[in-house]
Amino acid sequence: MIEYSRLEELGQALVADHVPYSEDVIEKYQLKSDDLRFGVFCPDCGALPMVRQWGTWMCTQCGGKSSHAHIPALRDYALIFGEEITNAQAREFLKVDNPQVIKYLLKNMNLPTAGRGKGTRYILGGLV
Ligand SMILES: [Zn+2]
């Protein structure tokens, strides 16, 4: 398992190296998909995953709340998997079952989109 600090280091290394998205980051850094822990991390205590409750992210460990905790998670996603994400991929990555919640979160980030309907892809490039 890779801890969050490790992933964050990886993200920073990628930004510093200006690694293009097309490069196979997973292979380059010899990550296995088992190494990647999905979900939104608590910005206060680093616990994973935060749960979506009453329109905000809640930490089950420290009780901390955050309305923006999904943004660094999506930035990590962009660095590791590429700059496009669909609703279904975001549900899996953020560990949220409800597509409406994901749609709300992504729409509120004012991300550029491509495609339509279920195939809509949100472009995360601006986060990186
Ligand atoms: Zn916490």
Side-chain angles (χ1 to χ4, degrees):
M1 287 292 181
I2 291 186
E3 295 305 323
Y4 183 52
S5 57
R6 168 94 173 75
L7 263 189
E8 200 168 44
E9 254 169 52
L10 170 63
Q12 282 161 2
L14 294 181
V15 172
D17 292 350
H18 299 286
V19 175
Y21 299 119
S22 56
E23 224 170 298
D24 192 338
V25 169
I26 305 252
E27 196 170 302
K28 178 171 176 182
Y29 290 87
Q30 299 181 323
L31 300 176
K32 287 179 240 124
S33 57
D34 287 353
D35 289 334
L36 300 169
R37 296 196 299 172
F38 289 4
V40 170
F41 290 84
C42 173
D44 293 330
C45 74
L48 173 87
M50 296 188 91
V51 294
R52 198 70 198 160
Q53 218 166 52
W54 311 116
T56 191
W57 295 102
M58 249 238 335
C59 177
T60 53
Q61 298 297 310
C62 75
K65 289 179 190 164
S66 168
S67 49
H68 302 296
H70 57 287
I71 294 173
L74 289 170
R75 194 194 57 194
D76 287 347
Y77 183 96
L79 287 166
I80 296 163
F81 298 107
E83 65 176 54
E84 292 187 356
I85 195 166
T86 62
N87 189 302
Q89 288 167 332
R91 287 205 308 270
E92 189 184 355
F93 191 68
L94 300 177
K95 289 201 177 286
V96 170
D97 293 332
N98 187 336
Q100 295 304 323
V101 169
I102 292 295
K103 192 172 180 182
Y104 170 85
L105 290 173
L106 292 171
K107 281 220 169 217
N108 267 283
M109 291 172 71
N110 290 316
L111 299 165
T113 58
R116 288 169 154 270
K118 282 192 173 176
T120 302
R121 302 182 308 281
Y122 296 83
I123 316 297
L124 303 169
L127 298 178
V128 179

